[in-house]
Amino acid sequence: MMHKKATLAIYGIKDVNEREHSGWTHDHNICLMQNGTILKYLHLERLSRKKHDNRLDLYLEEIIDNNSLELPDEFDIVSVNSILGSAFISKNGRIRFEANIEKKLNPNLVKSFAWYQKTKFKGSYLNAFNCSHELAHIATCIPFFGVYKENSLLIHFDGGASKSNFSAFIFKNNKIRLVEYSWDLRYLARLFFSNVIVFKILNAKQGEHHSVPGKLMGYSCLGDYDPKIENWLKKNDYFNNYWDNPELILQSINIEFGLKFSAFDSKETFFKNVASTMQEIFKRELINKITTLQIQTNTSYLYYSGGSALNILTNSAIIATGQFLDVFIPPSCNDSGLSIGAASLLEIQKGNTINIHNSYLNNIELNNKSVNLISNELLSSVSEIIINKGIIGICNGNGEIGPRALGNRSIICLANNKELAIKVSTKIKKREWYRPMAPIMLSGIAKEVSVEPIHHLSKFMLVDYNIKEQYRQSFEGVLYLTKTARIQTIDKESENPFIHSLLKYLYEKHNVLGLINTSFNSHGEPIVHSEVDARKAGITMGLDAIIINNNLVILK
């Protein structure tokens, strides 16, 4: 029987310290869901303007009191745990949650305790549940793809959850069954977020471990896999215990390979090859693990989530194996999606069917005015700026869920100009020189320019493709050295009316096949959330114009 009572889901377990970049928990978020539909969602960093913010306890009561998150009189609550535990208490204690400590990973929601004090003299106990970090990651797929298909393998893989960093479940006979969970693949995840060699090559600080994986993935495309480097890395346990003595790594390099390095240098071919070798190890060994599980469970579909699912090169390789009938990865596969995964599981438990959602869900404290109609005059004016090598920021409607801009909080410009791409990346966004840009295009055009078939995950920018030689000049600004591009596709107007209309107009009027699409934020800043954020960032970054709810604002 369907329950109409709403579900409030939170991921807000407090971290052990107040460092700017959390060591344990990060990307706090909340979700309000009812009858299978997400009504409200917030990735906290978008509002607080602090990257990977882990302070939901300080904001939750304020968000409720100012009606940005308008809670009904009665609602259920589900909280996502972490390696640190399951307890949550808001700033003044008005929302409290506690669950029993579990020694094993539970494949189900666990009945828990929660209290909500609505006013000074009015409070009540809530129907409360605890959801494992691992299970919430996998369930993040449900609002975007529907309930798991029969005979599916469900995999979570990240730096660390509650009881593991890798877990596997199967979905058969309409039930989830735990297959395994462990820390055995932690060494793979650590290659990206906690390896001293990587941090030294990329000139990163230890507190930047959330942003390093994406940097390493892009940088790894500059080098080549080297089996001798792999043997050296494995022989030295990937130098995991050398944080205090990185100079000993240089000594080992010079002895092992006959080189004469006195410092780490990202421009050197050897270090590019180290990164490429690490990427290859990650990709190969994860695929081997998934293949073993697929054979063991005889499953037909793969649902894959967790921060590691943001590795596009590996995602593309998993799809290319052809061992699954289909592969599903949510746009918010990192911790920013945990609340919607937990909310979905409780809604299903209450008998509700989860509706399919688009990715534009960040809507708390936006106070957006109505979105204007898309006129030919608007499209003509925007196209003229773009054709003349202008750079435009977009702030339309709700923000995207997840770490990647998908058209509503994007910066766009021509994709056929290498110098323009470098300007956007290094001068305007102040990103590192080696980080590639990505294109957005209509799905029909993507099918024409790509060597491989276009997978549906491209709408979330989760797969890369080889670009046919005759089209490479048209995408010069977004091609990796490997002649591939991380394409985002727009299939139909309903997915993103403005972007679809603009791409169609540019193609028909100017034969433009696609645009650069990068997130609307400067280095170290969260993606813009509100109109105020967009105007401030647009001016600071030196953009030519911004689009706010389909209204063109000229900045230069």
Side-chain angles (χ1 to χ4, degrees), residues 46-301:
R46 305 292 176 89
L47 173 64
S48 69
R49 311 309 302 157
K50 178 180 178 181
K51 196 80 169 167
H52 306 297
D53 205 344
N54 62 348
R55 303 171 300 159
L56 182 61
D57 59 309
L58 302 184
Y59 286 84
L60 185 54
E61 292 181 16
E62 179 183 343
I63 291 170
I64 293 171
D65 288 345
N66 67 17
N67 291 323
S68 294
L69 177 62
E70 191 171 354
L71 293 177
D73 289 334
E74 292 187 344
F75 60 93
D76 303 320
I77 189 168
V78 57
S79 179
V80 181
N81 66 16
S82 80
I83 193 171
L84 295 179
S86 300
F88 175 86
I89 181 168
S90 60
K91 181 179 180 181
N92 296 307
R94 290 172 54 197
I95 292 185
R96 306 183 185 197
F97 181 93
E98 186 68 65
N100 292 330
I101 296 175
E102 296 193 348
K103 296 181 179 179
K104 296 182 179 180
L105 181 59
N106 198 313
N108 303 298
L109 298 178
V110 178
K111 198 76 175 71
S112 303
F113 163 85
W115 169 263
Y116 171 48
Q117 185 175 324
K118 186 173 182 179
T119 65
K120 184 176 181 180
F121 301 107
K122 183 179 179 181
S124 60
Y125 293 103
L126 301 175
N127 192 29
F129 298 86
N130 186 46
C131 180
S132 75
H133 197 107
E134 290 87 340
L135 200 62
H137 264 312
I138 296 167
T140 304
C141 293
I142 296 174
F144 304 102
F145 306 112
V147 175
Y148 316 120
K149 292 180 179 292
E150 176 67 12
N151 200 33
S152 291
L153 178 63
L154 319 175
I155 287 178
H156 133 268
F157 183 29
D158 64 4
S162 59
K163 304 296 180 186
S164 67
N165 84 303
F166 182 92
S167 61
F169 305 76
I170 58 171
F171 184 77
K172 290 187 179 182
N173 300 320
N174 207 35
K175 290 184 178 181
I176 297 175
R177 181 170 65 83
L178 178 63
V179 177
E180 67 172 63
Y181 65 101
S182 74
W183 296 93
D184 291 349
L185 294 188
R186 192 181 186 196
Y187 75 98
L188 281 185
R190 289 187 68 182
L191 293 180
F192 280 83
F193 78 88
S194 184
N195 184 277
V196 62
I197 304 175
V198 171
F199 276 66
K200 288 297 180 180
I201 294 174
L202 303 183
N203 194 29
K205 298 179 178 64
Q206 276 188 271
E208 296 180 82
H209 57 278
H210 299 303
S211 59
V212 166
K215 296 177 183 180
L216 177 61
M217 182 177 62
Y219 179 71
S220 69
C221 294
L222 303 178
D224 297 304
Y225 166 77
D226 186 335
K228 187 176 180 181
I229 290 177
E230 177 173 358
N231 291 334
W232 169 71
L233 289 169
K234 288 185 174 180
K235 181 174 65 175
N236 292 281
D237 192 27
Y238 301 100
F239 295 93
N240 283 321
N241 297 317
Y242 282 67
W243 282 99
D244 296 327
N245 299 289
E247 66 280 357
L248 296 181
I249 301 175
L250 295 173
Q251 291 179 22
S252 179
I253 291 171
N254 294 339
I255 293 170
E256 185 82 15
F257 299 95
L259 300 172
K260 296 181 179 179
F261 290 128
S262 58
F264 294 89
D265 186 349
S266 61
K267 298 290 180 70
E268 288 285 350
T269 299
F270 176 82
F271 293 116
K272 295 175 185 176
N273 292 344
V274 169
S276 184
T277 300
M278 287 181 167
Q279 170 64 44
E280 180 62 26
I281 293 169
F282 179 91
K283 178 180 71 175
R284 183 191 65 226
E285 298 197 13
L286 177 58
I287 289 178
N288 287 343
K289 178 65 175 179
I290 292 175
T291 300
T292 299
L293 283 167
Q294 194 268 342
I295 294 171
Q296 174 188 333
T297 58
N298 192 28
T299 41
S300 303
Y301 300 92

Side-chain angles (χ1 to χ4, degrees), residues 267-465:
K267 298 290 180 70
E268 288 285 350
T269 299
F270 176 82
F271 293 116
K272 295 175 185 176
N273 292 344
V274 169
S276 184
T277 300
M278 287 181 167
Q279 170 64 44
E280 180 62 26
I281 293 169
F282 179 91
K283 178 180 71 175
R284 183 191 65 226
E285 298 197 13
L286 177 58
I287 289 178
N288 287 343
K289 178 65 175 179
I290 292 175
T291 300
T292 299
L293 283 167
Q294 194 268 342
I295 294 171
Q296 174 188 333
T297 58
N298 192 28
T299 41
S300 303
Y301 300 92
L302 174 65
Y303 291 81
Y304 173 39
S305 191
S308 295
L310 289 170
N311 193 301
I312 289 171
L313 303 178
T314 301
N315 296 345
S316 303
I318 291 171
I319 293 169
T321 65
Q323 65 196 79
F324 295 99
L325 295 178
D326 209 344
V327 176
F328 303 93
I329 303 172
S332 52
C333 53
N334 66 347
D335 283 4
S336 67
L338 290 170
S339 65
I340 68 167
S344 300
L345 289 174
L346 183 50
E347 285 281 298
I348 290 171
Q349 184 169 300
K350 293 193 291 186
N352 296 330
T353 299
I354 307 301
N355 297 312
I356 304 297
H357 296 71
N358 62 33
S359 59
Y360 310 108
L361 297 172
N362 261 297
N363 61 359
I364 290 180
E365 287 215 356
L366 275 185
N367 300 318
N368 274 337
K369 300 173 184 177
S370 59
V371 178
N372 296 330
L373 295 176
I374 302 169
S375 64
N376 279 332
E377 181 181 2
L378 172 67
L379 297 176
S380 176
S381 299
V382 173
S383 296
E384 183 177 354
I385 295 172
I386 288 174
I387 292 301
N388 287 297
K389 300 181 181 179
I391 301 166
I392 299 177
I394 301 174
C395 181
N396 277 342
N398 297 334
E400 299 87 337
I401 192 170
R404 293 188 176 130
L406 301 172
N408 270 16
R409 296 294 186 278
S410 294
I411 294 174
I412 57 173
C413 63
L414 290 173
N416 63 356
N417 189 301
K418 188 70 173 178
E419 288 71 29
L420 189 58
I422 293 172
K423 178 183 177 182
V424 172
S425 185
T426 62
K427 293 185 178 180
I428 290 179
K429 295 196 63 175
K430 304 187 186 307
R431 303 196 316 164
E432 293 80 3
W433 62 271
Y434 51 80
R435 297 181 68 182
M437 305 295 280
I440 187 170
M441 64 188 79
L442 298 171
S443 58
I445 293 176
K447 292 173 183 175
E448 174 62 29
V449 306
S450 170
V451 173
E452 298 85 4
I454 298 297
H455 193 275
H456 62 80
L457 289 178
S458 62
K459 70 179 179 179
F460 299 142
M461 204 187 287
L462 287 169
V463 187
D464 74 336
Y465 299 90

